[in-house]
Amino acid sequence: MSGKRESRRVSIFDTTLRDGEQAPGNAMTPRQKLDIALRIEALGADYIESGFPASSPSEFQATRLISRNLTSARFTTFCRAVRSDVDTAVKAGGTERHQVQVMATGSDLHLTHKRGISRDQAVQEVADTVAHAYALGVEEVSVGIEDASRGELDLLRAIALGAVEAGAVCFAVADTSGCHLPQEYGALITEFRSWLPDGVRVATHCHDDFGLSLANAVAGLTAGADEVQVTLGGVGERAGNTPLEEVAALLTYKGALLGLHTDIDVAAMYEAYTALRAAIGLEEPRNKAIFGTYAFGTAAGIHQQGMLRNPATYEYVEPARFGRERSLLIGRHSGRAVLRHILDELGLAVSEEELAGLYRTHIAERTGGDCEDISVVKARLARELTTRQPAAA
């Protein structure tokens, strides 16, 4: 793919508040969910899924709080294809700015081994629940098709057309088991786009079991999807969901090439993610894209030598753009260049023999396996070398 294309805006649908509960750690309280929802709204998300109101009093209360406090984003409730779930969702959040998302069963595998119902029943229950939601005054109804990536096309088409007839305005095509390659998922989105009338949206919903959730979401968007369902930090079942920050970062740098853009405030994402981690007890991963502890850090001497002269030599994604800071990490793979840099900043001159000794002590023969930030090593060298005279101007 090459050349600049006309830009199409990607709608952001955030499911962090439901999928974040599946991360190891603590379940969020309703007040914590409200805090995270307001942070996600401030980022510019179009839809925020408040949770599954029929599943517990806590989820019901969270939806009530979120529905009353959002001002720009719409809120979405997760409902099974059961009228009573929709009734509960409406009691919790009312109908204004409310999108009900009805879960459909999209594969014979699930129909047989999980649900124990026929295809006709699966099609009918979705259409009935969609119609029921509109009868209650809900403004929008979407359908999330579980296990669509392993579903048979004739079943998926029947569900889609039945739901459209009942008034559904969006379909989330779920790669629930994370089994698709990008070309497979893109082809599935193309099928949905061909079945649905103009004005009915298609959303991606991808899991990361093969590490392909971002690639699959982008394949879906380039195949005609209008919306991408994401979570902060990719939290979710098993390996997680498409990460909001990865989608936003990719479109920041590659949007013109893809013909796509998003209005997400990328500089504020990390602060929102930090609040989410605190709420659910999630440790910060070391090497995760954009949000990892070392996402903008390097310990390799060859890299450090280049970055000390010009960060662009090894840094394509700019940390400041995403509320992060770059770091030079001192470890056994660091080189003399970073030591010279530290000594220059301290205004200290050393001989080559002294430099070799410092290199052995602080880099080559370091004890322990962890890296240290350059500031830690700089402070230690400053203490050790305080008797030295400043380098000549």
Side-chain angles (χ1 to χ4, degrees), residues 238-269:
R238 302 182 317 279
N241 299 64
T242 306
L244 168 63
E245 68 279 5
E246 292 181 15
V247 172
L250 184 70
L251 296 187
T252 296
Y253 285 91
K254 298 293 187 180
L257 183 64
L258 294 168
L260 304 168
H261 73 275
T262 174
D263 301 325
I264 290 294
D265 180 1
V266 296
M269 294 187 301

Side-chain angles (χ1 to χ4, degrees), residues 149-316:
S149 54
R150 294 188 294 179
E152 295 71 23
L153 291 181
D154 53 347
L155 170 60
L156 296 173
R157 185 173 184 274
I159 291 171
L161 295 183
V164 164
E165 188 173 351
V169 297
C170 183
F171 290 85
V173 182
D175 183 17
T176 306
S177 61
C179 66
H180 261 182
L181 293 170
Q183 58 266 39
E184 293 176 295
Y185 190 72
L188 182 58
I189 295 298
T190 298
E191 291 285 355
F192 270 88
R193 192 75 280 166
S194 72
W195 301 332
L196 300 174
D198 293 341
V200 175
R201 303 192 307 277
V202 178
T204 69
H205 183 98
C206 302
H207 284 258
D208 207 33
D209 298 71
F210 280 137
L212 292 172
S213 64
L214 175 65
N216 285 341
V218 171
L221 290 170
T222 56
D226 311 280
E227 179 176 285
V228 57
Q229 294 195 352
V230 295
T231 63
L232 270 173
V235 295
E237 289 284 1
R238 302 182 317 279
N241 299 64
T242 306
L244 168 63
E245 68 279 5
E246 292 181 15
V247 172
L250 184 70
L251 296 187
T252 296
Y253 285 91
K254 298 293 187 180
L257 183 64
L258 294 168
L260 304 168
H261 73 275
T262 174
D263 301 325
I264 290 294
D265 180 1
V266 296
M269 294 187 301
Y270 184 67
E271 184 179 351
Y273 175 62
T274 300
L276 173 67
R277 287 197 301 105
I280 63 176
L282 182 66
E283 293 185 5
E284 184 173 78
R286 288 192 174 196
N287 61 340
K288 191 179 188 311
I290 312 301
F291 284 168
T293 303
Y294 298 149
F296 299 103
T298 181
I302 293 174
H303 290 205
Q304 289 175 345
Q305 185 177 16
M307 291 184 69
L308 287 169
R309 295 174 180 174
N310 183 341
T313 54
Y314 287 96
E315 187 178 85
Y316 180 75

Side-chain angles (χ1 to χ4, degrees), residues 112-167:
T112 301
H113 296 285
K114 189 180 81 167
R115 298 293 311 285
I117 62 175
S118 68
R119 284 187 173 193
D120 287 344
Q121 287 173 306
V123 172
Q124 182 56 41
E125 69 177 7
V126 173
D128 178 74
T129 308
V130 170
H132 179 66
Y134 281 120
L136 295 177
V138 171
E139 292 184 351
E140 281 189 21
V141 182
S142 65
V143 175
I145 306 184
E146 188 178 32
D147 207 33
S149 54
R150 294 188 294 179
E152 295 71 23
L153 291 181
D154 53 347
L155 170 60
L156 296 173
R157 185 173 184 274
I159 291 171
L161 295 183
V164 164
E165 188 173 351

